[in-house]
Amino acid sequence: MPIKIHDLYSLLLKKYGYQGWWPLLRLNDYGNNPTLRGHYTGYHPGNYEIPSSYEDVFEIMIGSILAQNTSWINAEKALNELYKRNLLDIQKLRDISLEYLAESIRSSGYYNQKAIKIKNLIQFLENNPISILLEKPVEELRKSLISVKGIGPETADSIILYALKKPIFVIDAYTKRLSIRLGFVEHNPEPSYQELQDLFQSVFDSDANLFNEFHALIVQHCVHVCEKKPKCENCLLTKNCPKIIIQPVKRKKSRKTNSK
DNA sequence: GCCCAGGAGCCCG
DNA sequence: CGGGCTCATGGG
């Protein structure tokens, strides 16, 4: 029996509990300790008042770029490095060289590109301070964020939802994979970002806290259970999943191991 | 060694 | 408008 999106939210919440996104360095138990441990703990389950300062908001914005196509642990190491070097600050990030910035965020991968992206974000924030962004309607906000080179739809929506606490549903690779496997959307052709976002937003009233929790729950489920190679034996949704046991979804059309 | 991770831009047809 | 390529570290 196919599951409804609304029920998916209830089941995931019941199974995994509140996720406490977006994590912040200052909430890590090593927040004031420059020695990074093996895993991160900066979550704040059930507390939707966070971020509660411009510093928090800014950290989430930077983190959303560092996290692009990268495991959060690697992104967080880079964020922690910026913190250690006292660079988590708009003026500091503006004044340092691109090279020094790139070297500081090395662990997040794509560090040359991400350094440029962060510089672009800094320039954007100098023209559009956080206090101004908070006043803007979501649609206008989204357009202006996406106009920054290096901020695409997912990063823009992450900033809107998790940094600025405005209601918009974040679509990522996990959400797409899960939606396909559960049969919310067709596999072929692949659903667009907009299609998936419209679908999820059509199910609920516009609610930033709910969108926050739901997306975080999807990530939790997909990271540990509905992986690229799904662990269906550990899944709470097997009765609802058309893809159960059947081949681990698909493969990319042709994979070239192009070594230079 | 291979595979993958909380994407985006660019270039092409 | 969509597919393919590039960017890159660190963990399993």
Side-chain angles (χ1 to χ4, degrees):
Chain A
M1 182 80 101
I3 189 172
K4 290 189 168 63
I5 293 182
H6 190 280
D7 298 327
L8 173 65
Y9 174 66
S10 309
L11 288 174
L12 291 179
L13 183 58
K14 187 173 160 191
K15 170 79 176 179
Y16 299 114
Y18 295 119
Q19 298 299 300
W21 275 42
W22 183 287
L24 290 174
L25 290 180
R26 65 178 175 82
L27 300 178
N28 282 336
D29 53 12
Y30 51 86
N32 292 314
N33 184 338
T35 306
L36 189 63
R37 301 188 187 169
H39 71 281
Y40 43 91
T41 58
Y43 298 89
H44 41 92
N47 185 348
Y48 300 106
E49 300 305 307
I50 296 174
S52 53
S53 67
Y54 288 166
E55 287 76 18
D56 288 353
V57 170
F58 182 67
E59 178 185 323
I60 294 172
M61 289 177 167
I62 300 297
S64 70
I65 289 177
L66 294 175
Q68 288 174 1
N69 202 36
T70 303
S71 62
W72 174 249
I73 189 69
N74 277 3
E76 200 208 35
K77 280 178 185 165
L79 204 55
N80 199 54
E81 190 63 28
L82 293 176
Y83 170 76
K84 277 163 53 182
R85 298 183 178 193
N86 199 23
L87 296 176
L88 270 184
D89 174 270
I90 186 164
Q91 280 83 17
K92 291 282 179 43
L93 285 175
R94 178 194 58 200
D95 292 340
I96 62 172
S97 71
L98 193 60
E99 293 71 25
Y100 185 57
L101 174 55
E103 187 257 314
S104 302
I105 61 174
R106 190 170 186 278
S107 70
S108 72
Y110 309 114
Y111 50 86
N112 290 313
Q113 290 195 359
K114 285 177 179 175
I116 296 172
K117 294 178 182 188
I118 288 173
K119 284 287 191 181
N120 291 341
L121 172 64
I122 295 301
Q123 183 165 17
F124 173 77
L125 288 175
E126 291 192 321
N127 299 326
N128 305 270
I130 291 170
S131 58
I132 302 295
L133 295 179
L134 286 167
E135 304 287 319
K136 291 192 182 185
V138 171
E139 281 313 312
E140 183 187 343
L141 186 55
R142 190 171 197 269
K143 277 181 192 159
S144 62
L145 282 168
I146 285 180
S147 72
V148 178
K149 195 177 289 185
I151 296 181
E154 184 186 335
T155 306
D157 291 341
S158 293
I159 289 173
I160 293 169
L161 180 63
Y162 289 108
L164 303 173
K165 291 194 280 197
K166 291 175 181 290
I168 198 162
F169 203 93
V170 177
I171 302 298
D172 60 7
Y174 294 141
T175 313
K176 179 187 283 192
R177 185 166 74 210
L178 187 62
S179 296
I180 290 171
R181 286 180 176 164
L182 291 177
F184 297 158
V185 293
E186 290 299 317
H187 188 185
N188 232 320
E190 290 230 332
S192 69
Y193 191 99
Q194 199 55 54
E195 178 185 348
L196 283 164
Q197 187 174 55
D198 290 345
L199 175 63
F200 277 80
Q201 291 189 159
S202 70
V203 175
F204 302 93
D205 292 332
S206 199
D207 180 343
N209 293 351
L210 189 150
F211 290 167
N212 171 329
E213 201 63 67
F214 197 0
H215 178 254
L217 285 164
I218 289 172
V219 173
Q220 165 70 24
H221 180 64
C222 288
V223 164
H224 300 292
V225 180
C226 201
E227 305 174 39
K228 218 155 200 180
K229 275 176 66 99
K231 295 179 171 153
C232 300
E233 65 277 14
N234 298 333
C235 185
L236 73 158
L237 304 170
T238 48
K239 289 195 297 292
N240 309 301
C241 188
K243 301 292 185 201
I244 175 72
I245 303 304
I246 305 173
Q247 272 308 308
V249 168
K250 71 157 180 194
R251 301 210 79 86
K252 283 267 173 173
K253 307 237 159 129
S254 75
R255 148 182 326 279
K256 293 195 168 170
T257 348
N258 225 340
S259 51
K260 57 233 141 136

